[in-house]
Amino acid sequence: MSSEDRSRLLGPLPRRARWLAGGTVASVALVLATIAAPAVATATAGAPGAGDRCQASRHDDDDDPDKARAQVGNPPREKCKEGPRGPRGRTGATGATGPTGPTGATGTGLTGPTGPTGPGTGVTGPTGPTGAAGIDGLTGPTGPTGATGTGLTGPTGPTGATGTQGASGQCFDVDAIRPAAAREVKAVLSDTITYAGIRDLTGPGAPTPWRWYDLTDTGDTYPTDACAVSVSSQGNLVNVEVLTTAGEIYETQCTINPGTPDSLTCNEVWTAAAPQPAAGANGLARFTNKKLTKEDMNLRPHEIN
């Protein structure tokens, strides 16, 4: 007896329940059948007796009995003759690869710990070529003065050779006499120029101002290297002498003109002394014909034998 016949004997309620269950299973089977349609179609097409409803039902029952019972409107018949199982159909071709999905979000995991230092030190590479010289830097500030040394003073070196005589410096000198109580006479050397002067010491306005006379403004006999001066007088004659840097003596003469005030008349002719002082001169030539005695006051005691 088929399942449908048994439901008829039990009445309408069992049949309704079976139809509802069969409808639910049929819906699920329909979805699965849609997905597996290509494979099922291929298998059905290759199996013998594809148009035999009874044979198809039997094969379905072998694979899934519940699915076979859900075939609404096509119940299996008990008198169908069950044939042998057909061969399994070929596997369908692989479908095309779907499109690549979107790139996932960047991970936010924590940074891992630093790995250990690698073993060993690498071999030092060759020295590179010397670079071009840089520009000189700015001069640094002067450092502090170092401490004074405490070393011993070395011995005095030998005396050096005498250098050449340098140029004469400026010479200044003065000398004065009073040949009489009524007058005073002076000789002055100032910056290579020699002057003679006179003034009155008595009479109206005494002492009177000095009256100076330049003894170098005429003639060419004046020694320009004069560096010292002296003056002497006897009567109305006045002698002015100069000593040069070379050690030579020159002299000139003036005459006193008494009056109110007194005045001088000078010839400004300079004459070198003869002879000039010389090394080794002893001034004793006048005593060559007489024996020296202690009464000769011009001599020093050690010069008398």
Side-chain angles (χ1 to χ4, degrees):
M1 181 181 294
S2 68
S3 59
E4 186 175 357
D5 293 335
R6 288 194 300 269
S7 63
R8 288 177 182 175
L9 294 177
L10 295 176
L13 291 176
R15 285 184 296 176
R16 176 178 175 83
R18 184 168 181 83
W19 290 344
L20 291 175
T24 302
V25 173
S27 298
V28 174
L30 180 61
V31 174
L32 296 175
T34 303
I35 297 175
V40 173
T42 303
T44 303
D52 190 346
R53 183 178 58 180
C54 179
Q55 188 174 10
S57 175
R58 292 298 182 186
H59 290 312
D60 290 341
D61 292 345
D62 292 339
D63 293 336
D64 190 352
D66 293 335
K67 190 174 184 181
R69 286 191 299 269
Q71 299 295 326
V72 179
N74 189 22
R77 297 181 181 182
E78 293 180 356
K79 294 181 179 183
C80 287
K81 188 176 182 178
E82 184 175 343
R85 180 185 296 273
R88 183 176 293 276
R90 293 174 298 172
T91 303
T94 303
T97 302
T100 303
T103 302
T106 303
T108 57
L110 299 177
T111 302
T114 302
T117 302
T121 302
V123 179
T124 303
T127 302
T130 303
I135 59 175
D136 293 337
L138 299 177
T139 302
T142 302
T145 303
T148 303
T150 57
L152 299 177
T153 303
T156 302
T159 303
T162 302
T164 58
Q165 183 173 346
S168 300
Q170 292 180 332
C171 294
F172 300 90
D173 198 10
V174 63
D175 194 16
I177 61 170
R178 290 186 177 182
R183 65 179 63 90
E184 182 179 12
V185 178
K186 277 189 177 182
V188 176
L189 175 63
S190 177
D191 195 16
T192 73
I193 298 176
T194 301
Y195 302 89
I198 189 171
R199 69 174 178 172
D200 298 341
L201 300 178
T202 60
T208 61
W210 285 97
R211 292 171 293 281
W212 296 105
Y213 300 86
D214 186 349
L215 306 182
T216 63
D217 60 356
T218 61
D220 298 327
T221 57
Y222 177 74
T224 57
D225 58 346
C227 198
V229 68
S230 67
V231 62
S232 62
S233 175
Q234 185 176 8
N236 288 336
L237 296 178
V238 175
N239 291 326
V240 178
E241 296 177 312
V242 295
L243 178 65
T244 68
T245 56
E248 296 178 339
I249 299 173
Y250 287 80
E251 63 181 354
T252 189
Q253 192 173 77
C254 297
T255 301
I256 298 175
N257 301 313
T260 307
D262 296 338
S263 63
L264 293 175
T265 299
C266 302
N267 60 21
E268 300 186 27
V269 175
W270 292 87
T271 304
Q276 293 287 341
N282 57 21
L284 302 179
R286 60 192 178 94
F287 299 106
T288 56
N289 296 323
K290 60 182 267 186
K291 186 177 180 180
L292 298 177
T293 66
K294 294 181 180 180
E295 283 75 21
D296 292 317
M297 303 304 296
N298 291 331
L299 301 178
R300 295 188 292 273
H302 72 275
E303 294 176 341
I304 302 175
N305 295 328

Coordinates of all heavy atoms in Angstrom, one line a residue, residues 111-209:
T111 N 53.8 47.7 17.9 CA 55.1 47.4 17.3 C 55.9 46.4 18.2 O 55.9 46.6 19.4 CB 55.9 48.7 17.2 OG1 55.2 49.6 16.4 CG2 57.3 48.4 16.5
G112 N 56.4 45.4 17.5 CA 57.1 44.4 18.3 C 58.5 45.0 18.9 O 58.9 46.0 18.5
P113 N 59.0 44.3 19.8 CA 60.3 44.7 20.4 C 61.4 44.7 19.4 O 61.4 43.9 18.5 CB 60.5 43.7 21.6 CG 59.8 42.5 21.1 CD 58.6 43.0 20.4
T114 N 62.5 45.6 19.7 CA 63.6 45.6 18.8 C 64.4 44.3 18.9 O 64.6 43.8 20.0 CB 64.5 46.8 19.2 OG1 63.8 48.0 19.1 CG2 65.7 46.9 18.3
G115 N 64.8 43.8 17.7 CA 65.5 42.5 17.8 C 66.9 42.7 18.3 O 67.5 43.8 18.4
P116 N 67.5 41.6 18.7 CA 68.9 41.7 19.2 C 69.9 42.2 18.2 O 69.7 42.0 17.0 CB 69.2 40.3 19.7 CG 68.3 39.4 18.8 CD 67.1 40.2 18.6
T117 N 71.0 42.8 18.6 CA 72.1 43.2 17.7 C 72.7 42.0 17.1 O 73.0 41.0 17.7 CB 73.1 44.0 18.5 OG1 72.5 45.1 19.2 CG2 74.2 44.6 17.6
G118 N 73.0 42.2 15.8 CA 73.6 41.1 15.1 C 75.0 40.8 15.6 O 75.6 41.6 16.2
P119 N 75.4 39.6 15.3 CA 76.8 39.1 15.8 C 77.9 39.8 15.0 O 77.8 40.1 13.9 CB 76.8 37.6 15.6 CG 75.9 37.5 14.4 CD 74.8 38.5 14.5
G120 N 79.0 40.1 15.8 CA 80.2 40.5 15.1 C 80.2 42.0 14.6 O 79.1 42.5 14.4
T121 N 81.4 42.5 14.4 CA 81.5 43.9 13.8 C 82.0 43.7 12.4 O 83.0 43.0 12.2 CB 82.5 44.7 14.7 OG1 82.0 44.8 16.0 CG2 82.6 46.1 14.1
G122 N 81.5 44.5 11.5 CA 81.9 44.3 10.1 C 83.3 44.9 9.9 O 83.9 45.6 10.7
V123 N 84.0 44.4 8.9 CA 85.4 44.9 8.6 C 85.3 46.3 8.2 O 84.5 46.8 7.5 CB 85.9 44.0 7.4 CG1 87.3 44.5 7.1 CG2 85.9 42.6 7.8
T124 N 86.3 47.1 8.7 CA 86.4 48.5 8.4 C 86.7 48.7 7.0 O 87.7 48.1 6.4 CB 87.5 49.2 9.3 OG1 87.2 49.0 10.7 CG2 87.6 50.7 9.0
G125 N 86.0 49.6 6.3 CA 86.2 49.9 4.9 C 87.5 50.7 4.7 O 88.1 51.3 5.7
P126 N 88.0 50.8 3.5 CA 89.2 51.6 3.2 C 88.9 53.1 3.5 O 87.8 53.6 3.4 CB 89.4 51.3 1.7 CG 88.1 51.0 1.2 CD 87.3 50.3 2.3
T127 N 90.0 53.8 3.9 CA 90.0 55.2 4.1 C 89.7 56.0 2.8 O 90.3 55.7 1.8 CB 91.3 55.7 4.7 OG1 91.6 54.9 5.9 CG2 91.2 57.2 5.0
G128 N 88.7 56.9 2.9 CA 88.4 57.7 1.7 C 89.4 58.7 1.4 O 90.3 59.0 2.2
P129 N 89.4 59.3 0.3 CA 90.3 60.3 -0.1 C 90.2 61.6 0.8 O 89.1 61.8 1.3 CB 90.0 60.6 -1.6 CG 88.5 60.3 -1.7 CD 88.3 59.1 -0.8
T130 N 91.3 62.3 0.9 CA 91.3 63.5 1.8 C 90.5 64.6 1.1 O 90.6 64.8 -0.1 CB 92.8 64.0 1.9 OG1 93.6 63.0 2.5 CG2 92.8 65.2 2.8
G131 N 89.6 65.2 1.9 CA 88.8 66.2 1.3 C 89.5 67.5 1.1 O 90.7 67.7 1.6
A132 N 88.9 68.4 0.4 CA 89.6 69.7 0.1 C 89.7 70.5 1.4 O 88.9 70.4 2.3 CB 88.7 70.5 -0.9
A133 N 90.8 71.3 1.5 CA 91.0 72.1 2.7 C 89.9 73.1 2.8 O 89.5 73.8 1.9 CB 92.4 72.8 2.5
G134 N 89.4 73.3 4.0 CA 88.4 74.3 4.3 C 89.0 75.7 4.5 O 90.2 75.8 4.5
I135 N 88.1 76.6 4.5 CA 88.6 78.0 4.6 C 89.0 78.2 6.0 O 88.6 77.6 7.0 CB 87.5 79.0 4.2 CG1 86.2 78.8 5.1 CG2 87.0 78.9 2.8 CD1 85.1 79.8 4.9
D136 N 90.0 79.2 6.2 CA 90.5 79.5 7.5 C 89.4 80.0 8.4 O 88.6 80.9 8.0 CB 91.7 80.5 7.4 CG 92.9 79.9 6.7 OD1 93.0 78.6 6.7 OD2 93.7 80.7 6.2
G137 N 89.4 79.5 9.6 CA 88.4 80.1 10.6 C 88.9 81.4 11.1 O 90.0 81.9 10.9
L138 N 88.0 82.1 11.8 CA 88.3 83.4 12.4 C 89.3 83.2 13.6 O 89.4 82.1 14.2 CB 87.0 84.0 13.0 CG 85.9 84.3 12.0 CD1 84.7 84.8 12.8 CD2 86.4 85.3 11.0
T139 N 90.2 84.2 13.7 CA 91.2 84.2 14.8 C 90.5 84.2 16.1 O 89.6 85.1 16.4 CB 92.1 85.4 14.6 OG1 92.7 85.4 13.3 CG2 93.2 85.4 15.7
G140 N 90.9 83.3 17.0 CA 90.3 83.3 18.3 C 90.8 84.4 19.2 O 91.8 85.1 18.8
P141 N 90.2 84.6 20.3 CA 90.6 85.7 21.2 C 92.0 85.3 21.8 O 92.4 84.2 21.9 CB 89.5 85.7 22.3 CG 89.0 84.3 22.3 CD 89.1 83.9 20.8
T142 N 92.7 86.4 22.2 CA 94.0 86.2 22.8 C 93.9 85.6 24.1 O 93.1 86.0 25.0 CB 94.7 87.6 22.9 OG1 94.8 88.2 21.6 CG2 96.1 87.4 23.5
G143 N 94.7 84.6 24.4 CA 94.6 83.9 25.6 C 95.2 84.7 26.8 O 95.9 85.7 26.5
P144 N 95.0 84.3 28.0 CA 95.6 85.1 29.1 C 97.1 84.9 29.2 O 97.7 83.9 28.7 CB 94.9 84.4 30.3 CG 94.6 83.0 29.9 CD 94.2 83.1 28.4
T145 N 97.7 85.9 29.7 CA 99.2 85.9 29.9 C 99.6 84.8 30.8 O 99.0 84.6 31.9 CB 99.7 87.3 30.4 OG1 99.2 88.3 29.5 CG2 101.2 87.3 30.5
G146 N 100.6 84.0 30.3 CA 101.1 82.9 31.2 C 101.8 83.4 32.4 O 102.2 84.6 32.5
A147 N 102.0 82.5 33.3 CA 102.7 82.9 34.6 C 104.2 83.1 34.2 O 104.8 82.6 33.3 CB 102.6 81.7 35.6
T148 N 104.8 84.1 35.0 CA 106.2 84.4 34.8 C 107.1 83.2 35.2 O 106.8 82.5 36.2 CB 106.6 85.6 35.7 OG1 105.7 86.7 35.4 CG2 108.0 86.0 35.5
G149 N 108.0 82.9 34.3 CA 108.9 81.8 34.6 C 109.8 82.0 35.8 O 110.0 83.1 36.2
T150 N 110.2 80.9 36.3 CA 111.1 81.0 37.5 C 112.5 80.4 37.3 O 113.2 80.0 38.2 CB 110.4 80.3 38.7 OG1 110.2 78.9 38.3 CG2 109.1 80.9 39.1
G151 N 112.8 80.3 36.0 CA 114.1 79.8 35.7 C 115.3 80.8 36.1 O 115.1 82.0 36.3
L152 N 116.5 80.2 36.2 CA 117.6 81.0 36.6 C 118.0 81.9 35.4 O 117.9 81.6 34.2 CB 118.8 80.1 37.0 CG 118.5 79.2 38.2 CD1 119.7 78.3 38.4 CD2 118.2 80.0 39.4
T153 N 118.5 83.1 35.7 CA 119.0 84.1 34.7 C 120.3 83.5 34.1 O 121.2 83.1 34.8 CB 119.3 85.4 35.4 OG1 118.1 85.9 36.0 CG2 119.7 86.4 34.3
G154 N 120.3 83.5 32.8 CA 121.5 83.0 32.1 C 122.7 83.9 32.3 O 122.6 85.1 32.7
P155 N 123.9 83.5 32.0 CA 125.1 84.3 32.1 C 125.0 85.5 31.1 O 124.4 85.4 30.0 CB 126.2 83.4 31.8 CG 125.6 82.3 30.9 CD 124.2 82.1 31.4
T156 N 125.7 86.6 31.4 CA 125.7 87.8 30.6 C 126.5 87.4 29.3 O 127.6 86.9 29.4 CB 126.4 88.9 31.3 OG1 125.6 89.2 32.5 CG2 126.4 90.2 30.4
G157 N 126.0 87.8 28.2 CA 126.7 87.5 27.0 C 127.9 88.5 26.8 O 128.0 89.5 27.5
P158 N 128.7 88.1 25.8 CA 129.9 89.0 25.5 C 129.4 90.4 25.0 O 128.3 90.5 24.4 CB 130.6 88.2 24.5 CG 129.6 87.4 23.8 CD 128.6 87.0 24.9
T159 N 130.2 91.4 25.2 CA 129.9 92.7 24.7 C 130.0 92.7 23.2 O 130.9 92.2 22.6 CB 131.0 93.7 25.3 OG1 130.9 93.6 26.7 CG2 130.6 95.1 24.8
G160 N 129.0 93.3 22.6 CA 128.9 93.4 21.2 C 129.8 94.4 20.6 O 130.4 95.3 21.3
A161 N 130.0 94.4 19.3 CA 130.9 95.4 18.7 C 130.3 96.7 18.7 O 129.1 96.9 18.8 CB 131.1 95.0 17.2
T162 N 131.1 97.7 18.8 CA 130.7 99.1 18.9 C 130.0 99.5 17.6 O 130.5 99.3 16.5 CB 131.9 100.1 19.1 OG1 132.5 99.7 20.3 CG2 131.4 101.5 19.2
G163 N 128.8 100.0 17.7 CA 128.0 100.4 16.5 C 128.5 101.8 16.0 O 129.3 102.5 16.6
T164 N 128.0 102.1 14.8 CA 128.4 103.3 14.2 C 127.8 104.5 15.0 O 126.7 104.3 15.6 CB 127.9 103.4 12.7 OG1 126.5 103.2 12.7 CG2 128.6 102.3 11.9
Q165 N 128.4 105.6 14.9 CA 127.9 106.8 15.7 C 126.6 107.3 15.1 O 126.5 107.5 13.9 CB 129.0 107.9 15.7 CG 128.6 109.1 16.5 CD 129.7 110.1 16.6 OE1 130.8 109.8 16.3 NE2 129.4 111.3 17.0
G166 N 125.7 107.5 15.9 CA 124.4 108.0 15.4 C 124.4 109.5 15.2 O 125.4 110.2 15.5
A167 N 123.3 109.9 14.6 CA 123.2 111.3 14.3 C 123.1 112.1 15.6 O 122.6 111.7 16.6 CB 121.9 111.6 13.5
S168 N 123.7 113.3 15.6 CA 123.7 114.2 16.8 C 122.3 114.6 17.2 O 121.5 115.0 16.3 CB 124.6 115.4 16.5 OG 125.9 115.0 16.2
G169 N 122.1 114.6 18.4 CA 120.8 115.1 18.9 C 120.9 116.7 19.1 O 121.9 117.3 18.8
Q170 N 119.8 117.2 19.6 CA 119.8 118.7 19.8 C 120.7 119.0 21.0 O 120.6 118.3 22.0 CB 118.4 119.2 20.1 CG 117.5 119.1 18.8 CD 116.1 119.6 19.1 OE1 115.7 119.5 20.2 NE2 115.5 120.2 18.1
C171 N 121.5 120.1 20.9 CA 122.4 120.5 22.0 C 122.0 121.8 22.5 O 121.6 122.7 21.8 CB 123.8 120.5 21.5 SG 124.5 118.9 21.1
F172 N 122.0 122.0 23.9 CA 121.6 123.2 24.5 C 122.7 123.5 25.6 O 123.0 122.6 26.4 CB 120.3 123.2 25.2 CG 119.2 122.9 24.1 CD1 118.8 121.6 23.8 CD2 118.5 123.9 23.5 CE1 117.8 121.3 22.9 CE2 117.5 123.7 22.6 CZ 117.2 122.4 22.3
D173 N 123.2 124.8 25.7 CA 124.2 125.1 26.7 C 124.2 126.6 26.9 O 123.7 127.4 26.0 CB 125.6 124.7 26.2 CG 126.6 124.6 27.3 OD1 126.2 124.7 28.5 OD2 127.8 124.4 27.0
V174 N 124.7 127.1 28.0 CA 124.8 128.5 28.4 C 126.0 128.8 29.3 O 126.4 127.9 30.0 CB 123.5 128.9 29.1 CG1 123.3 128.2 30.4 CG2 123.4 130.4 29.2
D175 N 126.6 130.0 29.1 CA 127.7 130.4 30.0 C 127.6 131.9 30.1 O 127.0 132.6 29.3 CB 129.0 130.0 29.3 CG 130.2 130.2 30.3 OD1 129.9 130.2 31.5 OD2 131.3 130.2 29.8
A176 N 128.1 132.5 31.2 CA 127.9 133.9 31.5 C 129.2 134.4 32.3 O 129.8 133.7 33.0 CB 126.7 134.2 32.3
I177 N 129.5 135.8 32.1 CA 130.5 136.4 32.8 C 130.1 137.9 33.2 O 129.1 138.4 32.5 CB 131.9 136.5 32.1 CG1 131.6 137.3 30.7 CG2 132.4 135.1 31.8 CD1 132.9 137.6 30.0
R178 N 130.7 138.5 34.1 CA 130.5 139.9 34.4 C 131.9 140.6 34.4 O 132.6 140.6 35.4 CB 129.9 140.1 35.8 CG 128.4 139.6 35.9 CD 127.8 139.9 37.2 NE 126.4 139.6 37.3 CZ 125.6 139.8 38.3 NH1 126.1 140.3 39.4 NH2 124.3 139.4 38.2
P179 N 132.2 141.1 33.2 CA 133.5 141.7 33.0 C 133.7 143.0 33.9 O 134.8 143.5 34.1 CB 133.6 142.1 31.5 CG 132.2 142.1 31.1 CD 131.5 141.2 31.9
A180 N 132.5 143.6 34.3 CA 132.6 144.8 35.1 C 131.3 144.8 36.0 O 130.3 144.0 35.6 CB 132.6 146.0 34.3
A181 N 131.3 145.6 37.0 CA 130.1 145.6 37.9 C 128.9 146.2 37.2 O 127.8 146.0 37.6 CB 130.4 146.4 39.1
A182 N 129.2 146.9 36.0 CA 128.1 147.6 35.4 C 127.4 146.8 34.3 O 126.4 147.2 33.7 CB 128.6 148.9 34.8
R183 N 128.0 145.6 33.9 CA 127.4 144.9 32.8 C 127.6 143.3 33.0 O 128.4 142.9 33.8 CB 128.0 145.3 31.5 CG 129.5 145.0 31.3 CD 130.0 145.4 30.0 NE 129.9 146.9 29.8 CZ 130.9 147.7 30.1 NH1 132.0 147.3 30.7 NH2 130.7 149.0 29.9
E184 N 126.8 142.6 32.2 CA 126.9 141.1 32.2 C 126.8 140.6 30.8 O 126.0 141.2 30.0 CB 125.7 140.5 33.0 CG 125.8 138.9 33.1 CD 124.7 138.3 33.9 OE1 123.7 139.1 34.3 OE2 124.7 137.1 34.2
V185 N 127.6 139.6 30.4 CA 127.7 139.1 29.1 C 127.4 137.6 29.2 O 127.9 136.9 30.0 CB 129.1 139.3 28.4 CG1 129.1 138.7 27.0 CG2 129.4 140.8 28.4
K186 N 126.6 137.1 28.2 CA 126.3 135.6 28.1 C 126.5 135.1 26.7 O 126.4 135.8 25.7 CB 124.8 135.4 28.5 CG 124.6 135.3 30.0 CD 123.1 134.9 30.3 CE 122.9 134.8 31.8 NZ 121.6 134.3 32.1
A187 N 126.8 133.8 26.7 CA 126.8 133.0 25.4 C 125.8 131.8 25.6 O 125.9 131.1 26.6 CB 128.2 132.5 25.2
V188 N 125.0 131.6 24.5 CA 123.9 130.6 24.6 C 124.0 129.8 23.3 O 124.1 130.4 22.2 CB 122.6 131.3 24.8 CG1 121.5 130.2 24.7 CG2 122.5 132.0 26.1
L189 N 123.9 128.4 23.5 CA 123.8 127.5 22.3 C 122.4 126.9 22.4 O 122.1 126.2 23.4 CB 124.9 126.4 22.4 CG 124.8 125.4 21.3 CD1 125.0 125.9 19.9 CD2 125.8 124.3 21.6
S190 N 121.6 127.1 21.4 CA 120.3 126.5 21.4 C 120.0 126.0 20.0 O 119.9 126.8 19.0 CB 119.3 127.6 21.7 OG 117.9 127.1 21.7
D191 N 119.8 124.7 19.9 CA 119.5 124.0 18.7 C 120.4 124.4 17.5 O 120.0 124.8 16.5 CB 118.0 124.3 18.3 CG 117.5 123.3 17.3 OD1 118.1 122.3 17.1 OD2 116.4 123.6 16.7
T192 N 121.8 124.2 17.8 CA 122.9 124.4 16.8 C 123.1 125.9 16.5 O 124.0 126.2 15.7 CB 122.6 123.7 15.5 OG1 121.6 124.4 14.8 CG2 122.3 122.2 15.7
I193 N 122.4 126.9 17.1 CA 122.7 128.3 16.9 C 123.3 128.9 18.2 O 122.8 128.7 19.3 CB 121.4 129.0 16.5 CG1 120.8 128.5 15.2 CG2 121.6 130.5 16.4 CD1 119.5 129.1 14.8
T194 N 124.3 129.7 18.0 CA 125.0 130.3 19.1 C 124.7 131.8 19.1 O 124.8 132.5 18.1 CB 126.5 130.1 19.0 OG1 126.8 128.7 19.0 CG2 127.3 130.7 20.2
Y195 N 124.4 132.3 20.3 CA 124.0 133.7 20.5 C 125.0 134.3 21.6 O 125.5 133.6 22.5 CB 122.6 133.8 21.1 CG 121.6 133.2 20.2 CD1 121.2 131.9 20.4 CD2 120.9 134.0 19.2 CE1 120.2 131.3 19.6 CE2 119.9 133.4 18.4 CZ 119.6 132.1 18.6 OH 118.6 131.6 17.8
A196 N 125.2 135.6 21.4 CA 126.0 136.4 22.4 C 125.0 137.5 22.9 O 124.2 138.1 22.1 CB 127.2 137.1 21.9
G197 N 125.0 137.8 24.3 CA 124.0 138.8 24.8 C 124.7 139.6 25.8 O 125.7 139.2 26.5
I198 N 124.2 140.9 26.0 CA 124.7 141.8 27.0 C 123.5 142.6 27.6 O 122.5 142.8 27.0 CB 125.7 142.8 26.3 CG1 126.4 143.6 27.4 CG2 125.1 143.6 25.3 CD1 127.6 144.4 26.9
R199 N 123.7 143.0 28.9 CA 122.7 143.8 29.6 C 123.4 144.7 30.6 O 124.5 144.4 31.1 CB 121.6 143.0 30.2 CG 122.1 142.2 31.4 CD 120.9 141.5 32.1 NE 121.3 140.7 33.2 CZ 120.5 140.2 34.1 NH1 119.2 140.3 33.9 NH2 120.9 139.4 35.1
D200 N 122.8 145.8 30.9 CA 123.4 146.8 31.9 C 122.9 146.4 33.3 O 121.7 146.1 33.5 CB 123.0 148.2 31.6 CG 123.5 148.7 30.3 OD1 124.5 148.0 29.8 OD2 123.0 149.6 29.7
L201 N 123.8 146.5 34.3 CA 123.4 146.2 35.6 C 123.2 147.4 36.5 O 122.8 147.3 37.6 CB 124.4 145.3 36.3 CG 124.6 143.9 35.6 CD1 125.7 143.1 36.3 CD2 123.3 143.1 35.5
T202 N 123.6 148.6 36.0 CA 123.5 149.9 36.7 C 122.9 150.9 35.8 O 122.8 150.7 34.6 CB 124.9 150.4 37.2 OG1 125.7 150.6 36.0 CG2 125.5 149.4 38.1
G203 N 122.5 152.0 36.4 CA 121.9 153.1 35.6 C 120.4 153.0 35.5 O 119.8 152.1 36.2
P204 N 119.8 153.9 34.8 CA 118.3 153.9 34.7 C 117.8 152.6 34.1 O 118.3 152.0 33.2 CB 118.0 155.1 33.7 CG 119.3 155.9 33.7 CD 120.4 155.0 34.0
G205 N 116.7 152.1 34.7 CA 116.1 150.8 34.3 C 116.9 149.6 34.5 O 116.6 148.5 33.9
A206 N 117.9 149.6 35.3 CA 118.8 148.5 35.6 C 118.0 147.4 36.4 O 117.2 147.8 37.3 CB 120.1 148.8 36.2
P207 N 118.2 146.2 36.1 CA 119.0 145.7 35.0 C 118.1 145.8 33.7 O 116.9 145.5 33.8 CB 119.3 144.2 35.3 CG 118.2 143.8 36.2 CD 117.7 145.0 37.0
T208 N 118.8 146.1 32.6 CA 118.1 146.3 31.4 C 117.8 145.0 30.7 O 118.4 144.0 31.0 CB 118.9 147.2 30.4 OG1 120.1 146.5 30.1 CG2 119.2 148.5 31.0
P209 N 116.9 144.9 29.8 CA 116.6 143.7 29.0 C 117.8 143.2 28.3 O 118.7 144.0 27.9 CB 115.5 144.0 28.1 CG 114.8 145.2 28.7 CD 115.9 146.0 29.4

